[in-house]
Amino acid sequence: MPQKNQTLGEFIIENQGEFKYSSGELSRLINSIRLAAKVVNHEVNKAGLVDILGAAGDTNIQGESQQKLDVYANEAFIKTLTNREIVCGIASEEEDHYITIKGRNQNHDNKYVVLIDPLDGSSNIDVNVSVGTIFSIYRRITPSGTPVTLEDFLQPGSKQVAAGYIIYGTSTMIVYTTGHGVNGFTLNPAIGTYYHSHPNMKFPEDGTIYSVNEGNYVHFPQGVKDYIKFCQEEEGNRPYTSRYIGSLVSDIHRNMIKGGIYIYPNTAKNPEGKLRLLYECNPVAFIAEQAGGLASDGFQRILDIEPTELHQRVPFICGSRNMVLKAEEFMQNAESQKT
Ligand code: AHG
Ligand code: MN
Ligand code: MN
């Protein structure tokens, strides 16, 4: 039974023992993310007031224009985690390469790497629509005491020890998992404290919401087109409702609460898919599975994919279990008819 009015800080301490390595390091790391999230939240909330809107003038490695808040959030998370000497490395959607971080006494003894999408849904900043942050945490696989290497970051999602997202919405929430279910905490901005508002979050097994950028329909694979037509047919609880915010975090959060499916397939413009395996799909997939949902590229479990590069993209289908299974069925049928 969750304790009434429990804060995130209290929850982290109470549940520290659930974690098999339990040295307190992971708890301190999640605490640092909580702190950085407050700093970013403060900045996001005043985005309409100060001259922080608009493109910063740079493009990131993937050729997308960076918004000022992307840059701010990226720096806030990297600075917090670096200053606290708590991780051995960070990879960010906004950085070309991973960053090596020294621990206390200038050593390389820290055990965890963090991968982060500092500001997700950045095209929504200018229009006052919810954005988020996504994070993913692994134990390094190279020996402690040596600098991290690329292979510490290129682990399959099934090896994540924790993952979460922050949603800067009508209220600010942190939702995360350490592999023991999913818990959500809502920020009380008046006192800067997160409260345990959403214990043990679960995707409903079935849902009636589908979330996809249907403007790209003509470029979708046949299986996705077929599944969308299925969503729109009049039969039983269909047609489903279409909801698409364009911030992955917000779309997933809503679908986890109400029941639904999120789809970002490969398209002509993005032949590998658009979403990034390491910063977006893996953490969201870990959360989805911990909440009883599924995440797939249409043919295999996202968490089983062996990453080959930091900024790798994959097609992404995630949400209520029965909906994802149905979408996979359509995709696999269409594929088998090709041959
Ligand atoms: P980011 O802002 O980190 O680049 O991510 C944007 C992603 C994701 O949040 C969202 O679901 C998707 O891009 C929206 O893409 P479209 O505008 O192509 O629909
Ligand atoms: Mn993103
Ligand atoms: Mn981003």
Side-chain angles (χ1 to χ4, degrees):
M1 227 354 227
Q3 185 192 311
K4 216 169 169 234
N5 293 334
Q6 192 178 38
T7 66
L8 174 55
E10 289 165 346
F11 181 88
I12 290 172
I13 292 167
E14 195 178 300
N15 291 282
Q16 187 165 303
E18 267 187 353
F19 187 63
K20 63 177 170 180
Y21 304 108
S22 187
S23 64
E25 203 172 320
L26 182 69
S27 300
R28 289 205 305 281
L29 173 48
I30 292 170
N31 254 319
S32 306
I33 290 174
R34 165 180 76 155
L35 174 69
K38 270 191 226 174
V39 174
V40 173
N41 177 61
H42 183 71
E43 209 60 26
V44 168
N45 281 343
K46 63 181 192 190
L49 292 173
V50 290
D51 180 30
I52 201 160
L53 291 171
D58 284 334
T59 48
N60 65 14
I61 189 173
Q62 290 141 49
E64 297 151 337
S65 75
Q66 283 182 324
Q67 304 290 313
K68 281 183 186 169
L69 265 177
D70 288 34
V71 179
Y72 184 90
N74 187 43
E75 281 169 7
F77 279 98
I78 291 176
K79 233 186 254 165
T80 308
L81 294 171
T82 309
N83 289 346
R84 298 195 144 206
E85 302 173 322
I86 211 154
V87 289
C88 50
I90 301 174
S92 162
E93 183 191 271
E94 301 297 337
E95 300 285 333
D96 300 358
H97 305 288
Y98 67 83
I99 299 167
T100 305
I101 296 174
K102 287 186 179 162
R104 301 217 165 106
N105 311 319
Q106 295 294 296
N107 60 26
H108 293 280
D109 288 350
N110 287 333
K111 295 187 209 65
Y112 296 100
V113 294
V114 173
L115 295 99
I116 193 157
D117 176 356
L119 205 85
D120 172 65
S122 39
S123 66
N124 278 324
I125 297 163
D126 284 352
V127 290
N128 206 357
V129 171
S130 301
V131 292
T133 295
I134 311 173
F135 62 91
S136 168
I137 302 174
Y138 295 82
R139 253 178 105 82
R140 64 182 301 175
I141 49 176
T142 52
S144 169
T146 59
V148 275
T149 68
L150 186 58
E151 64 180 310
D152 292 314
F153 297 93
L154 297 185
Q155 301 186 51
S158 57
K159 297 276 195 254
Q160 287 171 103
V161 294
Y165 60 76
I166 298 125
I167 176 164
Y168 312 100
T170 41
S171 51
T172 295
M173 284 187 69
I174 291 190
V175 173
Y176 80 100
T177 182
T178 54
H180 300 273
V182 178
N183 285 281
F185 301 82
T186 304
L187 179 67
N188 178 343
I191 51 174
T193 302
Y194 294 94
Y195 287 96
H196 194 191
S197 51
H198 294 61
N200 197 19
M201 295 177 80
K202 290 284 173 211
F203 262 102
E205 276 224 322
D206 274 301
T208 55
I209 297 173
Y210 72 104
S211 309
V212 61
N213 185 342
E214 240 173 302
N216 296 327
Y217 185 86
V218 287
H219 300 302
F220 286 166
Q222 190 55 43
V224 174
K225 287 182 177 171
D226 295 343
Y227 179 69
I228 291 174
K229 284 298 153 218
F230 168 84
C231 294
Q232 295 170 342
E233 265 165 29
E234 188 149 32
E235 174 78 55
N237 62 354
R238 289 173 285 138
Y240 296 153
T241 295
S242 164
R243 290 281 182 275
Y244 188 75
I245 297 170
S247 295
L248 174 68
V249 163
S250 315
D251 281 309
I252 291 288
H253 185 72
R254 179 204 51 243
N255 289 357
M256 183 154 63
I257 291 171
K258 296 196 164 180
I261 186 168
Y262 176 95
I263 305 177
Y264 209 112
N266 46 311
T267 62
K269 188 174 157 209
N270 295 299
E272 311 298 327
K274 179 186 180 193
L275 300 183
R276 297 82 171 170
L277 175 61
L278 298 181
Y279 315 111
E280 294 171 317
C281 304
N282 273 338
V284 169
F286 187 25
I287 292 165
E289 286 197 3
Q290 283 295 315
L294 290 177
S296 154
D297 68 357
F299 302 92
Q300 64 171 327
R301 184 182 175 226
I302 291 292
L303 296 181
D304 285 339
I305 299 175
E306 291 280 347
T308 52
E309 49 182 297
L310 272 184
H311 297 285
Q312 185 172 345
R313 298 171 191 260
V314 285
F316 192 54
I317 303 177
C318 178
S320 290
R321 185 184 163 77
N322 292 337
M323 297 181 90
V324 174
L325 290 174
K326 195 73 189 168
E328 281 185 324
E329 193 183 308
F330 275 99
M331 292 191 69
Q332 290 167 18
N333 278 344
E335 202 57 31
S336 66
Q337 275 164 29
K338 268 190 189 169
T339 48

